Amino acid sequence: MDLKTVAVILFDDFETLDAMGPVEVFGCLPGCQLRFLSRYGGEITSSQGVVVKTENAIGQPDAILIPGGQGTRALTQDADFLRWLSVFIETVPLCMTVCTGSALLAGTDLLNGHNATSNKRAFSWVTSLNHKVHWQPRARWVRDGKFYTSSGISAGIDMALQVVVDYHGREQAVDIAHRMEYVWNDAPGNDPFAVEW
Amino acid sequence: MDLKTVAVILFDDFETLDAMGPVEVFGCLPGCQLRFLSRYGGEITSSQGVVVKTENAIGQPDAILIPGGQGTRALTQDADFLRWLSVFIETVPLCMTVCTGSALLAGTDLLNGHNATSNKRAFSWVTSLNHKVHWQPRARWVRDGKFYTSSGISAGIDMALQVVVDYHGREQAVDIAHRMEYVWNDAPGNDPFAVEW
Protein backbone atom coordinates (compact mmCIF):
# COMPACT_ATOMS: atom_id res chain seq x y z
CA MET A 1 0.00 0.00 0.00
CA ASP A 2 1.32 3.41 -0.95
CA LEU A 3 0.96 6.17 1.61
CA LYS A 4 -1.17 8.77 -0.15
CA THR A 5 -2.73 10.56 2.81
CA VAL A 6 -1.31 10.98 6.30
CA ALA A 7 -3.58 12.70 8.82
CA VAL A 8 -1.88 14.51 11.70
CA ILE A 9 -4.05 14.77 14.81
CA LEU A 10 -3.45 18.13 16.52
CA PHE A 11 -4.58 19.56 19.85
CA ASP A 12 -3.61 22.64 21.83
CA ASP A 13 -0.16 22.37 23.44
CA PHE A 14 1.07 19.69 21.08
CA GLU A 15 4.87 19.55 20.84
CA THR A 16 5.87 21.24 17.59
CA LEU A 17 8.62 18.90 16.38
CA ASP A 18 6.68 15.75 17.33
CA ALA A 19 4.36 16.62 14.48
CA MET A 20 6.59 18.62 12.13
CA GLY A 21 9.50 16.17 11.99
CA PRO A 22 7.37 13.38 10.48
CA VAL A 23 5.45 15.98 8.44
CA GLU A 24 8.74 16.91 6.78
CA VAL A 25 9.47 13.23 6.02
CA PHE A 26 6.04 12.38 4.59
CA GLY A 27 5.84 15.77 2.87
CA CYS A 28 8.99 14.81 0.94
CA LEU A 29 7.46 11.48 -0.12
CA PRO A 30 6.22 11.79 -3.73
CA GLY A 31 2.44 11.52 -3.97
CA CYS A 32 1.83 11.77 -0.22
CA GLN A 33 -0.45 14.49 1.11
CA LEU A 34 -0.57 15.72 4.70
CA ARG A 35 -3.85 16.68 6.36
CA PHE A 36 -4.21 18.35 9.74
CA LEU A 37 -7.13 17.32 11.88
CA SER A 38 -8.42 18.34 15.30
CA ARG A 39 -11.51 17.50 17.31
CA TYR A 40 -13.41 20.65 16.36
CA GLY A 41 -11.25 22.02 13.53
CA GLY A 42 -9.97 25.61 13.46
CA GLU A 43 -6.76 27.02 14.88
CA ILE A 44 -4.60 24.87 17.13
CA THR A 45 -1.60 26.28 19.00
CA SER A 46 1.51 24.25 19.79
CA SER A 47 3.47 24.56 23.05
CA GLN A 48 6.03 26.59 21.11
CA GLY A 49 3.42 29.07 19.84
CA VAL A 50 2.84 27.83 16.28
CA VAL A 51 -0.79 28.39 15.26
CA VAL A 52 -1.84 25.76 12.70
CA LYS A 53 -5.10 25.64 10.73
CA THR A 54 -6.90 22.30 11.05
CA GLU A 55 -9.98 20.53 9.67
CA ASN A 56 -12.55 18.71 11.79
CA ALA A 57 -13.26 15.94 9.29
CA ILE A 58 -11.47 14.28 6.42
CA GLY A 59 -12.00 11.17 4.35
CA GLN A 60 -10.28 7.91 5.16
CA PRO A 61 -6.53 8.50 5.49
CA ASP A 62 -3.93 5.79 4.91
CA ALA A 63 -2.25 6.64 8.21
CA ILE A 64 -2.58 8.85 11.24
CA LEU A 65 0.15 10.48 13.28
CA ILE A 66 -0.43 11.47 16.91
CA PRO A 67 2.15 13.84 18.40
CA GLY A 68 2.74 14.28 22.11
CA GLY A 69 3.23 17.32 24.28
CA GLN A 70 1.83 19.01 27.38
CA GLY A 71 -1.65 18.90 25.86
CA THR A 72 -1.77 15.13 26.27
CA ARG A 73 -1.92 15.46 30.08
CA ALA A 74 -5.52 16.67 30.10
CA LEU A 75 -6.60 14.63 27.07
CA THR A 76 -5.69 11.29 28.66
CA GLN A 77 -8.49 12.10 31.14
CA ASP A 78 -10.97 13.23 28.47
CA ALA A 79 -13.20 10.25 27.67
CA ASP A 80 -14.98 12.10 24.84
CA PHE A 81 -11.70 12.90 23.10
CA LEU A 82 -10.44 9.34 23.50
CA ARG A 83 -13.65 7.92 21.98
CA TRP A 84 -13.32 10.32 19.03
CA LEU A 85 -9.68 9.28 18.61
CA SER A 86 -10.52 5.57 18.82
CA VAL A 87 -12.75 5.80 15.77
CA PHE A 88 -9.88 7.08 13.65
CA ILE A 89 -7.40 4.60 15.00
CA GLU A 90 -9.71 1.63 14.44
CA THR A 91 -10.33 2.53 10.81
CA VAL A 92 -6.77 3.26 9.62
CA PRO A 93 -4.26 0.63 8.53
CA LEU A 94 -1.33 2.49 10.12
CA CYS A 95 -1.17 4.48 13.36
CA MET A 96 1.96 6.32 14.47
CA THR A 97 2.62 8.13 17.73
CA VAL A 98 5.55 10.33 18.70
CA CYS A 99 6.65 11.04 22.26
CA THR A 100 3.72 11.18 24.70
CA GLY A 101 1.32 10.68 21.80
CA SER A 102 1.53 7.06 22.92
CA ALA A 103 -0.22 8.11 26.15
CA LEU A 104 -3.28 9.01 24.07
CA LEU A 105 -3.09 5.79 22.10
CA ALA A 106 -2.74 3.83 25.35
CA GLY A 107 -5.74 5.72 26.70
CA THR A 108 -7.95 4.22 23.98
CA ASP A 109 -7.06 0.66 25.14
CA LEU A 110 -6.29 -0.22 21.51
CA LEU A 111 -2.63 -0.61 22.45
CA ASN A 112 -3.33 -3.23 25.13
CA GLY A 113 -1.18 -6.32 24.67
CA HIS A 114 1.14 -4.55 22.22
CA ASN A 115 4.79 -3.50 22.50
CA ALA A 116 5.26 0.27 22.51
CA THR A 117 7.52 3.06 23.67
CA SER A 118 7.29 6.75 24.58
CA ASN A 119 9.19 9.85 25.65
CA LYS A 120 11.90 8.87 28.11
CA ARG A 121 11.62 11.87 30.45
CA ALA A 122 7.88 11.22 30.76
CA PHE A 123 8.19 7.42 30.84
CA SER A 124 6.98 6.93 34.42
CA TRP A 125 3.86 8.96 33.77
CA VAL A 126 2.99 7.38 30.43
CA THR A 127 3.53 3.81 31.59
CA SER A 128 1.48 4.41 34.75
CA LEU A 129 -1.58 5.11 32.59
CA ASN A 130 -1.97 1.62 31.21
CA HIS A 131 -0.27 -1.51 32.56
CA LYS A 132 -1.64 -3.71 29.79
CA VAL A 133 0.80 -2.22 27.27
CA HIS A 134 4.24 -3.86 27.01
CA TRP A 135 6.27 -0.67 27.42
CA GLN A 136 9.85 -0.76 26.09
CA PRO A 137 12.32 1.44 28.02
CA ARG A 138 15.11 0.99 25.43
CA ALA A 139 13.81 1.69 21.94
CA ARG A 140 14.12 4.57 19.50
CA TRP A 141 10.82 3.34 18.12
CA VAL A 142 8.73 0.16 18.22
CA ARG A 143 6.60 -1.44 15.54
CA ASP A 144 3.88 -3.86 16.60
CA GLY A 145 1.30 -4.67 13.96
CA LYS A 146 -0.21 -1.45 12.66
CA PHE A 147 1.18 0.59 15.55
CA TYR A 148 4.47 2.49 15.36
CA THR A 149 5.35 4.33 18.58
CA SER A 150 8.47 6.45 18.95
CA SER A 151 10.51 7.93 21.76
CA GLY A 152 10.65 11.65 22.45
CA ILE A 153 10.33 14.49 19.96
CA SER A 154 13.12 14.03 17.38
CA ALA A 155 12.78 10.22 17.48
CA GLY A 156 9.64 10.70 15.40
CA ILE A 157 11.84 11.56 12.40
CA ASP A 158 13.70 8.25 12.66
CA MET A 159 10.42 6.35 12.99
CA ALA A 160 8.82 8.15 10.03
CA LEU A 161 11.81 7.21 7.85
CA GLN A 162 11.33 3.57 8.91
CA VAL A 163 7.68 3.78 7.86
CA VAL A 164 8.88 5.01 4.46
CA VAL A 165 11.19 1.97 4.30
CA ASP A 166 8.34 -0.40 5.15
CA TYR A 167 5.88 1.09 2.64
CA HIS A 168 8.08 2.54 -0.12
CA GLY A 169 11.49 0.87 0.27
CA ARG A 170 14.85 1.81 1.73
CA GLU A 171 16.08 3.73 -1.30
CA GLN A 172 13.22 6.21 -0.95
CA ALA A 173 13.90 6.67 2.78
CA VAL A 174 17.63 7.19 2.22
CA ASP A 175 16.88 9.78 -0.44
CA ILE A 176 14.54 11.70 1.87
CA ALA A 177 17.06 11.61 4.76
CA HIS A 178 19.75 12.91 2.41
CA ARG A 179 17.49 15.65 1.08
CA MET A 180 16.82 16.66 4.69
CA GLU A 181 20.59 16.52 5.41
CA TYR A 182 19.57 14.33 8.31
CA VAL A 183 21.83 11.74 9.97
CA TRP A 184 19.26 9.01 10.30
CA ASN A 185 19.38 6.63 13.27
CA ASP A 186 17.92 3.63 11.43
CA ALA A 187 18.27 1.06 14.23
CA PRO A 188 15.18 0.90 16.46
CA GLY A 189 17.22 -0.61 19.30
CA ASN A 190 19.78 2.20 19.26
CA ASP A 191 18.28 4.46 21.91
CA PRO A 192 20.76 7.01 23.27
CA PHE A 193 18.12 8.23 25.74
CA ALA A 194 17.00 4.87 27.13
CA VAL A 195 15.94 4.83 30.77
CA GLU A 196 16.39 2.32 33.58
CA TRP A 197 12.93 1.05 34.38
CA MET B 1 21.82 39.41 25.82
CA ASP B 2 19.07 36.92 26.57
CA LEU B 3 16.96 35.76 23.66
CA LYS B 4 13.45 36.81 24.63
CA THR B 5 11.82 37.08 21.20
CA VAL B 6 12.70 35.19 18.03
CA ALA B 7 10.75 36.18 14.92
CA VAL B 8 10.36 33.53 12.23
CA ILE B 9 9.89 34.97 8.73
CA LEU B 10 7.45 32.82 6.77
CA PHE B 11 6.38 32.82 3.11
CA ASP B 12 4.38 30.38 0.99
CA ASP B 13 6.29 27.19 0.14
CA PHE B 14 8.70 27.49 3.02
CA GLU B 15 10.27 24.17 4.01
CA THR B 16 8.49 22.99 7.17
CA LEU B 17 11.41 21.65 9.19
CA ASP B 18 13.70 24.59 8.29
CA ALA B 19 11.43 26.69 10.48
CA MET B 20 10.04 24.14 12.94
CA GLY B 21 13.35 22.57 13.98
CA PRO B 22 14.75 25.83 15.38
CA VAL B 23 11.24 26.73 16.64
CA GLU B 24 11.36 23.60 18.81
CA VAL B 25 14.81 24.57 20.15
CA PHE B 26 13.94 28.20 20.97
CA GLY B 27 10.50 27.18 22.17
CA CYS B 28 12.19 25.00 24.79
CA LEU B 29 14.38 27.91 25.94
CA PRO B 30 12.90 29.35 29.16
CA GLY B 31 11.63 32.90 28.68
CA CYS B 32 11.91 32.86 24.89
CA GLN B 33 8.83 33.62 22.79
CA LEU B 34 8.40 32.74 19.12
CA ARG B 35 6.58 35.08 16.74
CA PHE B 36 5.61 34.27 13.17
CA LEU B 37 5.84 37.05 10.64
CA SER B 38 5.09 37.35 6.92
CA ARG B 39 5.03 40.22 4.48
CA TYR B 40 1.27 40.73 4.62
CA GLY B 41 0.31 38.58 7.61
CA GLY B 42 -2.43 35.95 7.46
CA GLU B 43 -2.17 32.30 6.56
CA ILE B 44 1.05 30.96 5.07
CA THR B 45 1.32 27.42 3.66
CA SER B 46 4.52 25.37 3.78
CA SER B 47 5.65 23.06 0.96
CA GLN B 48 4.43 20.15 3.10
CA GLY B 49 0.94 21.63 3.49
CA VAL B 50 1.12 23.13 6.99
CA VAL B 51 -1.00 26.30 7.19
CA VAL B 52 0.46 28.68 9.80
CA LYS B 53 -1.08 31.89 11.10
CA THR B 54 1.28 34.88 10.85
CA GLU B 55 1.39 38.55 11.81
CA ASN B 56 2.46 41.35 9.48
CA ALA B 57 4.17 43.47 12.11
CA ILE B 58 5.77 42.91 15.48
CA GLY B 59 7.94 44.95 17.80
CA GLN B 60 11.72 44.68 17.77
CA PRO B 61 12.71 41.01 18.11
CA ASP B 62 16.05 39.89 19.52
CA ALA B 63 16.60 37.60 16.56
CA ILE B 64 15.09 36.57 13.26
CA LEU B 65 15.09 33.19 11.61
CA ILE B 66 14.70 32.82 7.84
CA PRO B 67 13.85 29.32 6.59
CA GLY B 68 14.43 28.13 3.03
CA GLY B 69 12.31 26.15 0.64
CA GLN B 70 10.87 26.30 -2.86
CA GLY B 71 9.30 29.66 -2.06
CA THR B 72 12.73 31.30 -2.00
CA ARG B 73 13.12 30.80 -5.77
CA ALA B 74 10.65 33.56 -6.66
CA LEU B 75 11.45 35.76 -3.66
CA THR B 76 15.12 36.13 -4.59
CA GLN B 77 13.80 38.00 -7.68
CA ASP B 78 11.30 40.10 -5.69
CA ALA B 79 12.95 43.45 -4.97
CA ASP B 80 10.04 44.64 -2.80
CA PHE B 81 10.24 41.58 -0.58
CA LEU B 82 14.02 41.88 -0.26
CA ARG B 83 13.74 45.54 0.77
CA TRP B 84 11.13 44.63 3.40
CA LEU B 85 13.39 41.84 4.64
CA SER B 86 16.46 44.11 4.75
CA VAL B 87 14.78 46.43 7.23
CA PHE B 88 14.31 43.58 9.70
CA ILE B 89 17.77 42.21 9.21
CA GLU B 90 19.44 45.60 9.68
CA THR B 91 17.68 46.25 12.97
CA VAL B 92 18.15 42.90 14.72
CA PRO B 93 21.28 41.88 16.64
CA LEU B 94 21.07 38.26 15.42
CA CYS B 95 19.99 36.89 12.05
CA MET B 96 19.77 33.14 11.34
CA THR B 97 19.05 31.37 8.08
CA VAL B 98 18.39 27.68 7.44
CA CYS B 99 18.89 25.94 4.09
CA THR B 100 18.11 28.22 1.13
CA GLY B 101 17.04 30.96 3.54
CA SER B 102 20.61 32.14 2.96
CA ALA B 103 19.62 32.86 -0.67
CA LEU B 104 17.20 35.49 0.64
CA LEU B 105 19.79 36.92 3.01
CA ALA B 106 22.34 37.02 0.18
CA GLY B 107 19.73 38.76 -1.97
CA THR B 108 19.67 41.70 0.43
CA ASP B 109 23.45 42.26 -0.07
CA LEU B 110 23.82 42.40 3.73
CA LEU B 111 25.80 39.14 3.60
CA ASN B 112 28.40 40.53 1.19
CA GLY B 113 31.95 39.94 2.45
CA HIS B 114 30.77 37.42 5.06
CA ASN B 115 31.31 33.69 5.36
CA ALA B 116 28.10 31.67 4.97
CA THR B 117 26.69 28.32 3.93
CA SER B 118 23.46 26.87 2.53
CA ASN B 119 21.63 23.72 1.45
CA LYS B 120 24.06 21.37 -0.27
CA ARG B 121 21.71 20.08 -2.97
CA ALA B 122 20.90 23.69 -3.93
CA PHE B 123 24.45 24.96 -3.46
CA SER B 124 25.14 25.81 -7.11
CA TRP B 125 21.95 27.86 -7.38
CA VAL B 126 22.37 29.73 -4.09
CA THR B 127 26.03 30.58 -4.64
CA SER B 128 25.32 31.78 -8.19
CA LEU B 129 23.06 34.52 -6.80
CA ASN B 130 25.79 36.51 -5.08
CA HIS B 131 29.53 36.12 -5.66
CA LYS B 132 30.43 38.63 -2.93
CA VAL B 133 29.53 36.11 -0.21
CA HIS B 134 32.30 33.75 0.93
CA TRP B 135 30.31 30.52 0.51
CA GLN B 136 31.52 27.50 2.52
CA PRO B 137 30.87 24.11 0.87
CA ARG B 138 31.87 22.14 3.98
CA ALA B 139 30.03 23.47 7.04
CA ARG B 140 27.07 22.28 9.08
CA TRP B 141 26.63 25.95 9.95
CA VAL B 142 28.69 29.14 9.85
CA ARG B 143 28.76 32.07 12.23
CA ASP B 144 30.09 35.38 10.97
CA GLY B 145 29.29 38.39 13.12
CA LYS B 146 25.56 38.59 13.67
CA PHE B 147 24.84 36.09 10.88
CA TYR B 148 24.37 32.37 11.46
CA THR B 149 23.71 30.39 8.28
CA SER B 150 23.08 26.64 8.26
CA SER B 151 23.09 23.84 5.74
CA GLY B 152 19.93 22.09 4.63
CA ILE B 153 16.75 21.49 6.63
CA SER B 154 17.75 19.50 9.73
CA ALA B 155 21.07 21.39 10.06
CA GLY B 156 19.00 24.27 11.41
CA ILE B 157 18.48 22.33 14.65
CA ASP B 158 22.24 22.01 15.19
CA MET B 159 22.73 25.71 14.45
CA ALA B 160 19.92 26.77 16.79
CA LEU B 161 21.49 24.75 19.62
CA GLN B 162 24.80 26.58 18.97
CA VAL B 163 22.96 29.91 19.22
CA VAL B 164 21.65 28.75 22.60
CA VAL B 165 25.27 27.96 23.62
CA ASP B 166 26.44 31.41 22.53
CA TYR B 167 23.65 33.31 24.27
CA HIS B 168 22.66 31.08 27.21
CA GLY B 169 25.56 28.68 27.75
CA ARG B 170 26.34 25.07 26.86
CA GLU B 171 24.49 23.56 29.80
CA GLN B 172 21.21 25.04 28.56
CA ALA B 173 21.80 23.75 25.03
CA VAL B 174 22.68 20.25 26.24
CA ASP B 175 19.52 20.19 28.34
CA ILE B 176 17.34 21.19 25.38
CA ALA B 177 18.97 18.60 23.09
CA HIS B 178 18.38 15.94 25.74
CA ARG B 179 14.78 16.99 26.24
CA MET B 180 14.32 16.70 22.47
CA GLU B 181 16.06 13.27 22.53
CA TYR B 182 18.20 14.75 19.79
CA VAL B 183 21.74 13.57 18.96
CA TRP B 184 23.28 16.98 18.48
CA ASN B 185 26.04 17.50 15.92
CA ASP B 186 27.79 20.30 17.82
CA ALA B 187 30.81 20.70 15.50
CA PRO B 188 30.17 23.26 12.75
CA GLY B 189 32.91 21.70 10.58
CA ASN B 190 31.37 18.21 10.77
CA ASP B 191 29.28 18.28 7.60
CA PRO B 192 28.21 14.81 6.44
CA PHE B 193 26.59 16.36 3.35
CA ALA B 194 29.45 18.59 2.21
CA VAL B 195 29.80 19.10 -1.53
CA GLU B 196 32.77 19.39 -3.84
CA TRP B 197 32.72 22.95 -5.13
Side-chain angles (χ1 to χ4, degrees):
Chain A
M1 182 191 80
D2 279 2
L3 292 176
K4 294 202 179 92
T5 317
V6 176
V8 184
I9 310 285
L10 296 183
F11 44 83
D12 284 324
D13 276 330
F14 76 90
E15 188 76 20
T16 304
L17 194 63
D18 288 12
M20 299 305 172
V23 161
E24 179 69 32
V25 172
F26 296 117
C28 291
L29 182 65
C32 184
Q33 189 194 23
L34 278 301
R35 301 287 289 272
F36 298 88
L37 190 71
S38 66
R39 179 85 196 277
Y40 302 108
E43 293 175 353
I44 294 292
T45 306
S46 81
S47 281
Q48 288 70 36
V50 186
V51 180
V52 180
K53 188 178 175 183
T54 66
E55 304 169 275
N56 66 356
I58 61 172
Q60 171 73 57
D62 298 318
I64 64 171
L65 176 86
I66 308 171
Q70 275 302 317
T72 62
R73 300 277 166 160
L75 291 175
T76 54
Q77 307 304 314
D78 182 338
D80 265 5
F81 176 86
L82 293 173
R83 265 192 299 273
W84 173 81
L85 187 62
S86 294
V87 173
F88 282 99
I89 297 171
E90 288 186 300
T91 57
V92 293
L94 167 59
C95 174
M96 297 169 274
T97 70
V98 179
C99 194
T100 52
S102 58
L104 299 178
L105 176 54
T108 66
D109 282 339
L110 295 168
L111 198 57
N112 292 6
H114 289 278
N115 294 318
T117 196
S118 191
N119 180 292
K120 294 305 161 33
R121 283 206 180 174
F123 210 67
S124 298
W125 172 67
V126 175
T127 57
S128 74
L129 295 171
N130 186 331
H131 296 291
K132 294 177 180 165
V133 178
H134 305 313
W135 296 108
Q136 306 297 311
R138 178 176 299 277
R140 188 67 171 164
W141 73 87
V142 170
R143 179 187 186 174
D144 190 342
K146 78 174 194 179
F147 298 113
Y148 288 73
T149 56
S150 90
S151 287
I153 307 184
S154 63
I157 299 174
D158 295 327
M159 177 190 71
L161 287 165
Q162 179 64 50
V163 171
V164 174
V165 171
D166 294 345
Y167 284 77
H168 294 261
R170 177 161 288 269
E171 197 179 341
Q172 181 67 73
V174 168
D175 184 65
I176 291 173
H178 195 279
R179 182 182 181 284
M180 291 170 61
E181 299 193 19
Y182 181 70
V183 179
W184 176 23
N185 174 355
D186 65 353
N190 177 12
D191 182 3
F193 304 96
V195 285
E196 293 301 321
W197 187 65
Chain B
M1 182 191 78
D2 279 1
L3 292 176
K4 293 203 180 89
T5 317
V6 175
V8 184
I9 309 286
L10 296 183
F11 44 84
D12 284 325
D13 276 329
F14 76 90
E15 188 76 19
T16 305
L17 194 63
D18 287 12
M20 299 305 171
V23 161
E24 180 68 32
V25 172
F26 295 118
C28 291
L29 182 64
C32 183
Q33 188 193 22
L34 278 301
R35 301 287 289 272
F36 298 87
L37 192 70
S38 65
R39 180 80 197 281
Y40 302 109
E43 292 175 354
I44 293 291
T45 305
S46 82
S47 281
Q48 288 71 35
V50 186
V51 180
V52 181
K53 188 177 175 184
T54 66
E55 305 169 276
N56 66 357
I58 60 171
Q60 171 72 59
D62 298 318
I64 65 171
L65 176 87
I66 307 171
Q70 275 302 318
T72 62
R73 301 277 165 160
L75 290 175
T76 55
Q77 307 303 315
D78 183 337
D80 265 5
F81 176 85
L82 294 172
R83 267 193 298 274
W84 173 81
L85 187 61
S86 294
V87 172
F88 282 99
I89 296 171
E90 288 186 301
T91 56
V92 292
L94 166 60
C95 173
M96 297 169 273
T97 70
V98 179
C99 195
T100 52
S102 57
L104 299 177
L105 176 55
T108 66
D109 282 339
L110 295 169
L111 199 56
N112 291 7
H114 289 278
N115 294 318
T117 197
S118 191
N119 180 292
K120 295 304 160 36
R121 282 205 181 174
F123 210 68
S124 298
W125 172 68
V126 175
T127 56
S128 74
L129 295 170
N130 187 331
H131 296 292
K132 293 178 180 163
V133 178
H134 305 311
W135 296 107
Q136 307 296 311
R138 179 176 298 277
R140 188 67 172 164
W141 73 87
V142 170
R143 179 187 185 174
D144 189 344
K146 78 175 193 180
F147 299 113
Y148 289 73
T149 57
S150 89
S151 287
I153 307 186
S154 62
I157 299 174
D158 295 326
M159 177 189 73
L161 287 165
Q162 179 65 49
V163 170
V164 173
V165 171
D166 295 345
Y167 283 78
H168 292 261
R170 176 161 290 268
E171 196 179 341
Q172 181 68 73
V174 168
D175 183 65
I176 291 172
H178 196 280
R179 182 182 181 284
M180 290 170 60
E181 299 193 21
Y182 181 70
V183 179
W184 176 24
N185 174 354
D186 66 352
N190 177 11
D191 182 3
F193 304 95
V195 286
E196 293 301 320
W197 187 65

